[in-house]
């Protein structure tokens, strides 16, 4: 009788553990302060893409120019109270979209919640994004190693969501010459970096050709930042 009760209790405990395994995101350690949440947005990615279509209807993707005069291979747009831009006069955040002359589209609640929840799962509990920079990569597009350092407050992490075609994310150290890890990012994966690695160099290797059921011939990446 007693043994039977014990078995029942154990059975209940096991099923709770199974529930946690389903409910809790898989957190893979990348480096100090940096984690990969595999498939984190798997179930919401179609809704995320729908939000992106709404954003691009008022602020379309465009190829910006670097301060050195090079056209970026990645097409970009933003949502939020401010947006990241680059042109001949430098990298900066701007409250207006230079293309439309109007404010950037507001950041949909679905996206800001997803970013805050992902940050919390990665150990950063008070992340509320001000901006979402949306990058669109066609095959061959790449992002050279760089630091995200146009923000004022480096206490908050960067939250980065990948959609569509797989890409190789390079995650280096605090010096440009530090050899980067190469991480294959798939649709729905989220990577979060902050703390001692907030200013780590990172980039994307040239995107291989492919077709993805969600995004066709593209990869789309959303990076959420705050502290601007
Ligand atoms: C970025 O660093 O701005 C983009 C990274 C990515 O596309 O995954
Ligand atoms: Fe970046």
């Amino acid at each position: 009788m007693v043994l039977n009760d014990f078995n029942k209790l154990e059975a209940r405990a096991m099923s709770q553990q199974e529930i946690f395994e389903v409910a809790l995101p898989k957190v893979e350690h990348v480096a100090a302060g940096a984690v990969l949440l595999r498939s984190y947005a798997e179930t919401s990615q179609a809704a995320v893409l729908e939000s992106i279509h709404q954003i691009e209807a008022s602020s379309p993707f465009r190829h910006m120019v670097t301060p050195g005069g090079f056209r970026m291979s990645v097409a970009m747009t933003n949502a939020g109270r401010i947006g990241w831009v680059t042109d001949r006069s430098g990298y900066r955040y701007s409250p207006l979209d230079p293309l439309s002359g109007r404010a950037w589209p507001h950041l949909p609640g679905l996206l800001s919640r997803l970013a805050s929840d992902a940050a919390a799962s990665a150990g950063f509990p008070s992340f509320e994004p001000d901006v979402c920079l949306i990058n669109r990569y066609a095959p061959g597009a790449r992002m050279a190693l760089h630091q995200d350092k146009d923000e004022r407050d480096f206490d908050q992490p960067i939250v980065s969501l990948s959609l569509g075609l797989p890409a190789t994310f390079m995650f280096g150290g605090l010096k440009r010459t530090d050899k980067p890890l190469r991480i294959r990012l798939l649709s729905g994966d989220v990577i979060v970096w902050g703390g001692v690695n907030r200013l780590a160099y990172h980039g994307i290797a040239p995107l291989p050709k492919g077709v993805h059921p969600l995004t066709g011939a593209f990869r789309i990446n959303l990076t959420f930042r705050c502290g601007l």
Side-chain angles (χ1 to χ4, degrees):
M1 194 62 184
V2 171
L3 189 63
N4 202 12
D5 283 351
F6 177 78
N7 283 345
K8 269 193 229 154
L9 275 175
E10 196 179 43
R12 200 175 311 137
M14 278 194 52
S15 64
Q16 269 177 3
Q17 185 189 345
E18 277 159 17
I19 290 164
F20 281 130
E21 277 171 4
V22 173
L24 289 180
K26 274 185 274 155
V27 181
E28 291 176 26
H29 175 84
V30 172
V35 300
L36 172 57
L37 306 169
R38 269 288 175 220
S39 308
Y40 186 81
E42 191 155 35
T43 54
S44 51
Q45 51 186 341
V48 171
L49 191 68
E50 186 49 44
S51 294
I52 295 170
H53 290 326
Q54 278 164 23
I55 292 163
E56 66 169 315
S58 22
S59 281
F61 285 103
R62 79 292 306 261
H63 294 270
M64 298 188 203
V65 173
T66 65
F70 294 102
R71 177 186 186 266
M72 295 187 80
S73 60
V74 177
M76 298 176 165
T77 187
N78 290 274
R81 62 170 190 84
I82 201 155
W84 187 85
V85 295
T86 171
D87 59 19
R88 293 300 298 233
S89 55
Y91 302 131
R92 64 193 177 280
Y93 282 98
S94 162
L96 298 183
D97 174 353
L99 207 59
S100 68
R102 295 190 305 266
W104 298 97
H106 81 277
L107 184 57
L110 167 78
L111 297 187
S112 54
R113 273 193 302 278
L114 197 144
S116 302
D117 292 350
S121 299
F124 299 95
S126 56
F127 180 82
E128 283 178 27
D130 293 314
V131 55
C132 173
L133 169 66
I134 309 174
N135 294 330
R136 191 182 67 190
Y137 298 72
R142 61 190 285 267
M143 178 83 68
L145 282 180
H146 66 278
Q147 295 170 293
D148 287 4
K149 58 178 183 188
D150 300 318
E151 301 73 34
R152 273 195 217 121
D153 175 5
F154 298 139
D155 289 343
Q156 292 291 345
I158 304 288
V159 175
S160 174
L161 161 63
S162 292
L163 293 179
L165 289 179
T168 301
F169 181 69
M170 297 175 292
F171 191 78
L174 299 176
K175 295 198 300 283
R176 188 184 287 279
T177 49
D178 290 338
K179 191 171 186 292
L181 298 168
R182 294 172 72 85
I183 301 165
R184 192 171 152 83
L185 293 180
L186 304 175
S187 194
D189 289 350
V190 172
I191 183 154
V192 180
W193 67 96
V196 293
N197 269 310
R198 171 62 180 74
L199 290 173
Y201 277 88
H202 59 280
I204 292 286
L207 192 79
K209 277 207 183 90
V211 178
H212 190 276
L214 188 69
T215 57
F218 294 108
R219 166 179 186 258
I220 296 179
N221 167 259
L222 296 90
T223 44
F224 298 89
R225 297 125 196 235
C226 71
L228 299 165

